[in-house]
Amino acid sequence: MPTVKGDGMRGLAVFISDIRNCKSKEAEIKRINKELANIRSKFKGDKTLDGYQKKKYVCKLLFIFLLGHDIDFGHMEAVNLLSSNRYTEKQIGYLFISVLIGANNDLMKLVIQAIRNDLAGRNPIHITLALQCVANIGSREMAEGLSVDIPKLLVSGDTIDSVKQSAALTLLRLLRSSPDSIPMGEWMSRIIHLLNDQHMGVVTAAASLIENLVKKNPEEYKGCVSLAVSRLSRIVTSSYTDLQDYTYYFVPAPWLSVKLLRLLQNYPPPEDPAVKTRLSECLETILNKAQEPPKSKKVQHSNAKNAVLFEAINLIIHMDSDPNLLVRACNQLGQFLQHRETNLRYLALESMCLLATSEFSHEAVKKHQETVITALKTERDVSVRQRAVDLLYAMCDRTNAEEIVGEMLEYLESADYSIREEMVLKVAILAEKYAVDYTWYVDVILNLIRIAGDYVSEEVWYRVIQIVINRDDVQGYAAKTVFEALQAPACHENMVKVGGYILGEFGNLIAGDPRSGSAVQFQLLHSKYHLCSPATRGLLLSAYIKFINLFPEIKHIIQDVLRSDNNMRNADVELQQRSIEYLQLSSITTADVLATVLEEMPPFPERESSILAKLKKKKPSSVPEGSEQKETTASKIPAVQMSNNVDIAPPTSINLMSQGESSTDDFVDQGSPQGGSASVDLLGLGSPTQPTAPSVGSGGLLDMFDTLTSHSSAPATNGIDLGGLSGGAEEAFRKFICKNNGVLFENDLLQIGVKSEYREDLGRLWVFYGNKTTFQLNAFLVDVSTPGNLSESLSIQQKPVGGEVEAGAQVKQQFNMACVQEFAEAPVMTIQFLYSGAQQKISLKLPVVLNKYITPAEMDANTFFTRWKALNSPSQECQQIIKATSPIDHEQVKAKASGYCVL
Amino acid sequence: MMQFMLLFSRQGKLRLQKWYAAHQDKMKKKITRELVTLVLSRKPKMCSFLEWKDLKIVYKRYASLYFCCAIEPEDNELLTLEVIHRYVELLDKYFGSVCELDIIFNFEKAYFMLDELLLGGEVQETSKKNVLKAIAAQDLLQEEETPQGFFEDHGLG
């Protein structure tokens, strides 16, 4: 047993020895329980315990608690100790309370009262004990109970220095834990003057408190800037003997210096030229000192000196105004990059990341590129290598991107697992951001998948597909490269996904070469099929159906695959459904329909890189501000505003098998366009503006009617800026549900009339634009857009209409519309023209509604009832009784039904 | 602001813990376990700084004891190393070449001393002389009051 120091308690030492000698956990618990019983009986006994004994027992309880056991008694005894006049008892009472009493304890009121008594007393040692207890617990109740006493102590003239120090930091603790409980008062205006205090300890403690206040209200405490600068200046120019005990290993007051330098980072560079010059001199002195030979070989000396240096560099970076200082800082850090101390290399890499973001020092940082790359390859500590990766990322720009990305890719092959995912994200971002040549970008991403496939998150491969889809100059190259990559005997599943998607879209671009002909492509993809997860297989099935469209010559091979038991009867419902639907789709539709359904994907709307978003989420600090801005200017992908249905899979809504009796042209009674499983939205990018699936239910005409009208009044969706439909248009549109001819729109300038006729799946519509004014309408332009995936359901052909409409004249425009499958939305027509120099814009729904494509079937009563009775499953029945708003007029009903195309 | 300081042995036994931000006991135990494992697994010569969640860990080994501090991102790592060193110096001066056992048997002293150096997670007093003076004053007061283990010496403790 070692000697016990000072007021050592032998009883405690014996107990601790006993515990240490316990051979097993059980023995330890037994010994502890014995001790607890003993202490409990002592506390309960009538014999009054003297201070020494109380202290000893409380200490034992503390020890037991710190071993990890629960203590459920002794609290009251500890609180009683607080009001003792004997220092020993008080001290142990406070220690017990600091460690063992939670903020919500019932005894807290008593504790606060005892603290208040001690704070009001004159004994500085008691005051210090009370303050330390408050600082250790820092509960809201304490903040509320002591919000006046503590600030008073801090600024009072009678308070001794050591109490001021504790008061400052205790107040800081309370401000942090319950900022709203401390009333702002007169003390606040006096507080910054503590920076001038004679006692270095007081300044050190106060500086932390002031920084906290400044963070909340910089304007109010602006005066602290000049005070801090002059204090700092006095420290850095002093010799190490001046500050006596506040000099730490020949470095004058490093803690205070760092706190002052941090305080100044809350403000822009000082406005007052004198203060500004003085601060610059301080920072230069600190940089100069770094070049001086060390005054001691001890690591403490260099640590303290460099701590101040790094904080000074942080301030220089924060002010970001003096190119000279920034470049000097960079050179200094450059020296540290090759220092033998690992800690310094680590910090230099970290600090340089910030310098790389300043326009003044970005170039200076780039000079150290080789050293940083060497660090990445040779550092033995992964946390240092991580910093090197961060710095390479930060210093990357268009001039060095290719080299840095190359080095990072190379390193990735042997990189630590812990940093791979982040590296992959960073490489992917840099490659995209600085790509001049997108073939390079495609190479980089495919290499990423090859080297570190497991760490390539969804976002990364989504992104490469977005970019390939949006840039037609890279599609052929992407197809060729991915085809080559897939030839590796073992390739990552992510590669298969990218391969499936890209070949499915653009395989035709490389099919001219017999080495990558259609059958070869298919065999290559299919050779991976059995090794993949169901999600990937689903994607491959979609690629196969796309192949059927691209390469009719291998249709039968693919159909065989779809038909195989392995697919058609797969246990996975999604795969089963895709196989069946795709097989049906390919066997019963005409080549034209197939071509429309399986059309190439439209470009993606431009958006923030999902990878960048992911990196930000992962490491908010690692994405420097402003990089997003660079991002958008750097990648010039045409922002195409088009229907942005991003599903790669052909709409699973063509749920061909869902009705046993369905015939090929019976598209009406189908599930919603989003009826497929969620995995259809392969890229997970379904934009938030995607229309809510209008479910054309299986009800009768009434239902459909409802759906049509209710949906046509829904706000325009789909990211197409409709500019809102023009007034009255909605009502006029509705009238067309039951008629074919009429006026669609009229205002002071223009009258628009419509005439239409339909036969089976074909419709023809004439729109008449009548100029009601006495002026020519110029730049007359009509555009029709199809919200959502309407373009897949309705193919619209628009005859051109000419640039001018003469005064009083009428022009006619013809539209041909073929219905491919059921649809709920109507196409939107936008009419723009100049009327006496002013741009006019009218948005209207083109009155094309699904019911127009209904063909009445003639049959006699017997046939009708046979059919009628065959409809006997519950889902085929729907009845709704409505109250007529007007008397039934046979002629009128007849006209309506005929207009609705059921007569 | 320092979030917490942990002292533990090479065997992973926790010798001292000081929390400057409130945590549930369960959380404290979890954090401690995690960090002890993390720090003990590091090789000598490795960097003393680590990123951990949204905090920075600064640790240093003295003989058989590891001192491990968690600080906030804007805090100064090198100076935190020197806070640790100053604390070790104080313990050393007080106990006279301190060893792990001193801290085990006089844990309350180790806490008192830490409260003089750091308060509420911030450096309060960096002067070695001033801290030792404050501790000596405490000891003096106690000696005046304490009957020096009289009962224990007679087997009555």
Coordinates of all heavy atoms in Angstrom, one line a residue, chain A residues 238-278:
Chain A
S238 N 6.5 39.8 -25.0 CA 7.2 39.7 -23.8 C 8.3 38.6 -23.9 O 8.2 37.7 -24.7 CB 6.2 39.3 -22.7 OG 5.7 38.1 -22.9
S239 N 9.3 38.7 -23.0 CA 10.2 37.5 -23.0 C 9.7 36.5 -22.0 O 8.8 36.8 -21.2 CB 11.6 38.0 -22.6 OG 11.6 38.1 -21.1
Y240 N 10.2 35.3 -22.1 CA 9.6 34.3 -21.3 C 9.8 34.4 -19.8 O 9.1 33.8 -19.0 CB 10.1 32.9 -21.8 CG 11.6 32.6 -21.6 CD1 12.1 32.2 -20.4 CD2 12.4 32.8 -22.7 CE1 13.4 32.0 -20.3 CE2 13.8 32.6 -22.6 CZ 14.3 32.2 -21.4 OH 15.6 31.9 -21.2
T241 N 10.7 35.4 -19.4 CA 10.9 35.6 -18.0 C 9.8 36.5 -17.5 O 9.6 36.5 -16.3 CB 12.3 36.1 -17.7 OG1 12.5 37.2 -18.6 CG2 13.3 35.0 -17.9
D242 N 9.2 37.4 -18.3 CA 8.3 38.4 -17.9 C 7.1 37.8 -17.2 O 6.6 38.4 -16.2 CB 7.8 39.2 -19.1 CG 8.9 40.0 -19.7 OD1 10.0 40.1 -19.0 OD2 8.7 40.6 -20.7
L243 N 6.6 36.7 -17.7 CA 5.3 36.3 -17.2 C 5.4 35.2 -16.1 O 4.4 34.6 -15.7 CB 4.5 35.8 -18.3 CG 4.2 36.8 -19.4 CD1 3.5 36.2 -20.6 CD2 3.3 37.9 -18.8
Q244 N 6.6 35.0 -15.6 CA 6.9 34.0 -14.6 C 6.2 32.7 -14.7 O 6.4 32.0 -15.7 CB 6.6 34.7 -13.2 CG 7.5 35.9 -13.0 CD 6.8 36.8 -11.9 OE1 5.8 36.6 -11.4 NE2 7.5 37.9 -11.7
D245 N 5.3 32.5 -13.8 CA 4.7 31.1 -13.8 C 3.7 30.9 -14.9 O 3.2 29.8 -15.1 CB 4.0 30.9 -12.4 CG 4.1 29.4 -12.0 OD1 5.1 28.8 -12.4 OD2 3.2 28.9 -11.4
Y246 N 3.3 32.0 -15.6 CA 2.4 31.8 -16.7 C 3.2 31.5 -18.0 O 2.6 31.4 -19.1 CB 1.5 33.0 -16.9 CG 0.5 33.0 -15.8 CD1 0.7 33.7 -14.6 CD2 -0.7 32.3 -15.9 CE1 -0.2 33.6 -13.5 CE2 -1.6 32.2 -14.8 CZ -1.3 32.9 -13.7 OH -2.2 32.8 -12.6
T247 N 4.5 31.4 -17.9 CA 5.3 31.0 -19.0 C 5.4 29.5 -18.9 O 5.7 28.9 -17.9 CB 6.7 31.6 -19.0 OG1 6.6 33.0 -19.2 CG2 7.6 31.0 -20.1
Y248 N 5.1 28.8 -20.0 CA 5.0 27.4 -20.0 C 6.1 26.8 -21.0 O 6.0 27.1 -22.2 CB 3.6 26.9 -20.5 CG 3.4 25.4 -20.5 CD1 3.0 24.7 -19.3 CD2 3.6 24.7 -21.7 CE1 2.8 23.3 -19.4 CE2 3.4 23.3 -21.7 CZ 3.0 22.6 -20.5 OH 2.8 21.3 -20.6
Y249 N 7.1 26.2 -20.4 CA 8.2 25.7 -21.2 C 8.7 26.8 -22.2 O 8.7 26.6 -23.4 CB 7.8 24.4 -21.9 CG 7.7 23.3 -21.0 CD1 6.5 23.0 -20.3 CD2 8.8 22.4 -20.7 CE1 6.4 22.0 -19.4 CE2 8.7 21.4 -19.8 CZ 7.5 21.1 -19.2 OH 7.4 20.1 -18.3
F250 N 9.0 28.0 -21.7 CA 9.6 29.1 -22.5 C 8.6 29.7 -23.4 O 8.9 30.6 -24.2 CB 10.8 28.7 -23.3 CG 11.9 28.1 -22.4 CD1 12.1 26.7 -22.4 CD2 12.8 28.9 -21.7 CE1 13.1 26.1 -21.6 CE2 13.8 28.3 -20.9 CZ 13.9 26.9 -20.8
V251 N 7.3 29.3 -23.4 CA 6.3 30.0 -24.2 C 5.5 30.8 -23.3 O 4.8 30.3 -22.3 CB 5.4 28.9 -24.9 CG1 4.4 29.6 -25.8 CG2 6.3 28.0 -25.7
P252 N 5.4 32.1 -23.6 CA 4.6 33.0 -22.7 C 3.1 32.8 -22.8 O 2.6 32.9 -23.9 CB 5.0 34.4 -23.1 CG 5.6 34.3 -24.5 CD 6.1 32.9 -24.6
A253 N 2.5 32.5 -21.7 CA 1.0 32.3 -21.6 C 0.3 31.7 -22.9 O -0.5 32.3 -23.5 CB 0.4 33.7 -21.4
P254 N 0.7 30.5 -23.2 CA 0.1 29.9 -24.4 C -1.4 29.7 -24.3 O -2.1 30.0 -25.3 CB 0.7 28.5 -24.5 CG 1.3 28.2 -23.2 CD 1.6 29.5 -22.5
W255 N -2.0 29.4 -23.1 CA -3.4 29.2 -23.0 C -4.2 30.5 -23.2 O -5.1 30.6 -24.0 CB -3.8 28.6 -21.6 CG -3.5 27.2 -21.6 CD1 -4.4 26.2 -22.1 CD2 -2.4 26.5 -21.1 NE1 -3.8 25.0 -21.9 CE2 -2.6 25.1 -21.3 CE3 -1.2 26.9 -20.5 CZ2 -1.7 24.1 -20.9 CZ3 -0.3 25.9 -20.1 CH2 -0.6 24.5 -20.3
L256 N -3.6 31.6 -22.6 CA -4.3 32.9 -22.8 C -4.2 33.3 -24.3 O -5.1 33.8 -24.9 CB -3.7 33.9 -21.9 CG -4.3 35.3 -22.0 CD1 -5.9 35.2 -21.8 CD2 -3.8 36.2 -20.9
S257 N -3.0 33.1 -24.9 CA -2.8 33.5 -26.3 C -3.8 32.8 -27.2 O -4.5 33.5 -28.0 CB -1.4 33.2 -26.8 OG -0.4 33.7 -25.9
V258 N -4.0 31.5 -27.0 CA -4.9 30.8 -27.8 C -6.3 31.3 -27.6 O -7.1 31.5 -28.5 CB -4.8 29.3 -27.6 CG1 -5.9 28.5 -28.1 CG2 -3.5 28.8 -28.1
K259 N -6.7 31.5 -26.4 CA -8.1 32.0 -26.1 C -8.3 33.4 -26.8 O -9.4 33.6 -27.3 CB -8.3 32.1 -24.6 CG -8.6 30.7 -23.9 CD -9.0 30.9 -22.5 CE -9.2 29.5 -21.8 NZ -9.8 29.7 -20.5
L260 N -7.3 34.3 -26.7 CA -7.5 35.6 -27.3 C -7.6 35.4 -28.8 O -8.4 36.1 -29.5 CB -6.3 36.5 -26.9 CG -6.2 36.9 -25.5 CD1 -4.9 37.6 -25.2 CD2 -7.4 37.8 -25.1
L261 N -6.7 34.6 -29.4 CA -6.8 34.4 -30.9 C -8.1 33.8 -31.3 O -8.6 34.1 -32.4 CB -5.6 33.5 -31.3 CG -4.2 34.1 -31.3 CD1 -3.1 33.0 -31.3 CD2 -4.0 35.1 -32.4
R262 N -8.7 33.0 -30.4 CA -10.0 32.4 -30.8 C -11.1 33.5 -30.6 O -12.0 33.5 -31.4 CB -10.3 31.3 -29.9 CG -10.0 30.0 -30.5 CD -10.4 28.8 -29.7 NE -11.8 28.7 -29.5 CZ -12.4 27.8 -28.8 NH1 -11.6 26.8 -28.2 NH2 -13.7 27.7 -28.6
L263 N -11.0 34.3 -29.6 CA -11.9 35.4 -29.4 C -12.0 36.2 -30.7 O -13.1 36.6 -31.1 CB -11.5 36.2 -28.2 CG -12.4 37.4 -27.8 CD1 -13.8 37.0 -27.5 CD2 -11.8 38.1 -26.6
L264 N -10.8 36.6 -31.2 CA -10.8 37.4 -32.4 C -11.4 36.8 -33.6 O -11.7 37.5 -34.6 CB -9.3 37.9 -32.6 CG -8.7 38.8 -31.6 CD1 -7.2 39.0 -31.7 CD2 -9.4 40.2 -31.6
Q265 N -11.4 35.5 -33.6 CA -12.0 34.8 -34.8 C -13.6 35.0 -34.9 O -14.2 34.5 -35.8 CB -11.7 33.3 -34.8 CG -10.3 33.0 -35.1 CD -9.9 31.6 -34.9 OE1 -10.5 30.7 -35.4 NE2 -8.8 31.4 -34.2
N266 N -14.1 35.7 -33.9 CA -15.5 36.0 -33.9 C -15.8 37.3 -34.6 O -17.0 37.7 -34.8 CB -16.1 36.0 -32.5 CG -16.2 34.6 -31.9 OD1 -16.9 33.8 -32.3 ND2 -15.3 34.4 -31.0
Y267 N -14.8 38.0 -35.0 CA -15.0 39.3 -35.7 C -14.2 39.3 -37.0 O -13.3 38.6 -37.2 CB -14.4 40.4 -34.7 CG -15.2 40.6 -33.5 CD1 -14.9 40.0 -32.3 CD2 -16.3 41.4 -33.5 CE1 -15.6 40.2 -31.1 CE2 -17.1 41.6 -32.4 CZ -16.7 41.0 -31.2 OH -17.5 41.2 -30.1
P268 N -14.7 40.2 -37.9 CA -13.9 40.5 -39.1 C -12.6 41.2 -38.7 O -12.4 41.6 -37.6 CB -14.9 41.4 -39.9 CG -15.8 42.0 -38.9 CD -15.9 41.1 -37.8
P269 N -11.7 41.4 -39.7 CA -10.5 42.1 -39.4 C -10.8 43.5 -38.7 O -11.8 44.1 -39.1 CB -9.8 42.3 -40.7 CG -10.4 41.2 -41.6 CD -11.8 41.0 -41.1
P270 N -10.0 43.9 -37.8 CA -10.4 45.2 -37.1 C -10.5 46.3 -38.1 O -9.7 46.4 -39.0 CB -9.2 45.4 -36.1 CG -8.5 44.0 -36.0 CD -8.8 43.3 -37.2
E271 N -11.4 47.2 -37.8 CA -11.6 48.4 -38.7 C -10.6 49.5 -38.4 O -10.0 50.1 -39.3 CB -13.0 48.9 -38.5 CG -14.1 48.1 -39.2 CD -15.4 48.3 -38.5 OE1 -15.7 49.3 -37.9 OE2 -16.3 47.4 -38.7
D272 N -10.3 49.7 -37.1 CA -9.4 50.7 -36.7 C -8.0 50.4 -37.2 O -7.4 49.3 -36.9 CB -9.4 50.8 -35.2 CG -8.4 51.8 -34.6 OD1 -7.5 52.2 -35.4 OD2 -8.6 52.2 -33.5
P273 N -7.4 51.2 -38.1 CA -6.1 50.9 -38.7 C -5.0 50.6 -37.7 O -4.2 49.7 -37.9 CB -5.8 52.1 -39.5 CG -6.9 53.0 -39.5 CD -7.9 52.5 -38.5
A274 N -5.0 51.3 -36.6 CA -4.0 51.1 -35.6 C -4.1 49.7 -35.0 O -3.1 49.0 -34.8 CB -4.1 52.1 -34.5
V275 N -5.3 49.3 -34.7 CA -5.6 48.0 -34.1 C -5.2 46.9 -35.1 O -4.6 45.9 -34.8 CB -7.0 47.8 -33.7 CG1 -7.3 46.4 -33.1 CG2 -7.4 48.9 -32.6
K276 N -5.6 47.2 -36.4 CA -5.3 46.2 -37.4 C -3.8 46.0 -37.6 O -3.4 44.9 -37.7 CB -5.9 46.7 -38.7 CG -6.0 45.7 -39.8 CD -6.7 46.2 -41.0 CE -6.7 45.0 -42.1 NZ -7.4 45.3 -43.2
T277 N -3.1 47.1 -37.6 CA -1.6 47.0 -37.8 C -1.0 46.2 -36.6 O -0.2 45.3 -36.8 CB -1.0 48.4 -37.8 OG1 -1.8 49.2 -38.7 CG2 0.4 48.3 -38.2
R278 N -1.5 46.5 -35.4 CA -1.0 45.9 -34.2 C -1.3 44.4 -34.3 O -0.4 43.6 -33.9 CB -1.6 46.5 -33.0 CG -0.8 46.2 -31.8 CD -1.1 47.2 -30.7 NE -0.3 46.9 -29.5 CZ -0.7 47.3 -28.3 NH1 -1.8 48.0 -28.1 NH2 0.1 47.0 -27.2

